[in-house]
Amino acid sequence: MTTKINPADLCPCGSQQAYQQCCLPLHVNQLVAQSPEQLMRSRYCAFVVAQFEYLLVTHHPDYRQGLTIEQLAQGNIHWLGLQVINTKQLDTTGEVTFKAWYIDDKQIDAIYEQSRFVLQQGRWFYTEGKQMHTKLPERNEPCICQSGKKFKQCCAKLTY
Ligand SMILES: [Zn+2]
Ligand SMILES: [Zn+2]
């Protein structure tokens, strides 16, 4: 399932900017990501808005392992929000640790990953990531979708 989004809507990556001022120019190749974090956010956003071509071209060719747009387009999950936990950037490499929350068949879970990035010819590429396990927030903690509501009053309701 993909989210239909207007350019003036808030960007799904959680930046609090409009999509047209945030990830859209990256998705349509008008701009390139200036940091590993910006690339990571735009890649999460590409999943949400089904810009699968962008996911391929920003995935370093040496690490794609035959990945196809068809494979990326599989599945029926609904993305809930992105939490960037930590970022590290050196001259030509970087790391971003994040939780990308989704709901699949009334189960909320996250891709919790430490992703690695390299800079080549002025472009950041995703190379590979280390997956970890996370648990759901407590019911009174802030919601994973950054709505500002408590988890129990927001996305937790989707699981009932
Ligand atoms: Zn964005
Ligand atoms: Zn929520």
Side-chain angles (χ1 to χ4, degrees):
M1 186 158 70
T2 58
T3 305
K4 288 274 167 276
I5 180 167
N6 293 314
D9 288 348
L10 277 183
C11 194
C13 79
S15 64
Q16 304 295 326
Q17 292 178 290
Y19 176 52
Q20 64 195 355
Q21 271 134 31
C22 188
C23 293
L24 177 61
L26 302 174
H27 290 170
V28 298
N29 212 18
Q30 282 173 355
L31 294 174
V32 297
Q34 297 299 303
S35 67
E37 180 179 347
Q38 194 181 14
L39 183 68
M40 191 271 131
R41 286 182 174 279
S42 67
R43 283 176 51 84
Y44 166 80
C45 188
F47 272 110
V48 179
V49 301
Q51 287 276 1
F52 300 117
E53 176 89 37
Y54 182 77
L55 288 164
L56 269 195
V57 300
T58 56
H59 198 149
H60 194 288
D62 293 351
Y63 294 85
R64 264 182 224 159
Q65 301 181 322
L67 186 68
T68 64
I69 289 184
E70 289 71 30
Q71 285 170 346
L72 288 165
Q74 271 173 13
N76 192 32
I77 65 174
H78 177 66
W79 296 95
L80 297 173
L82 174 69
Q83 293 177 317
V84 174
I85 314 285
N86 192 32
T87 70
K88 199 159 74 181
Q89 185 179 342
L90 303 172
D91 284 346
T92 58
T93 60
E95 279 178 10
V96 181
T97 305
F98 65 91
K99 294 178 185 177
W101 293 95
Y102 62 89
I103 185 164
D104 182 12
D105 196 22
K106 294 200 170 241
Q107 296 258 43
I108 293 178
D109 202 356
I111 295 171
Y112 181 22
E113 185 180 302
Q114 186 180 57
S115 290
R116 295 218 194 99
F117 300 87
V118 292
L119 183 67
Q120 278 184 355
Q121 282 148 8
R123 283 179 177 252
W124 286 100
F125 292 91
Y126 171 62
T127 58
E128 59 189 339
K130 187 175 77 179
Q131 307 260 340
M132 296 167 284
H133 288 286
T134 186
K135 55 184 177 66
L136 290 178
E138 300 294 333
R139 294 177 51 73
N140 283 318
E141 283 180 346
C143 194
I144 49 186
C145 72
Q146 293 166 28
S147 62
K149 297 184 204 166
K150 290 178 179 173
F151 181 53
K152 67 177 178 189
Q153 287 158 351
C154 189
C155 290
K157 287 186 170 174
L158 301 171
T159 63
Y160 301 157

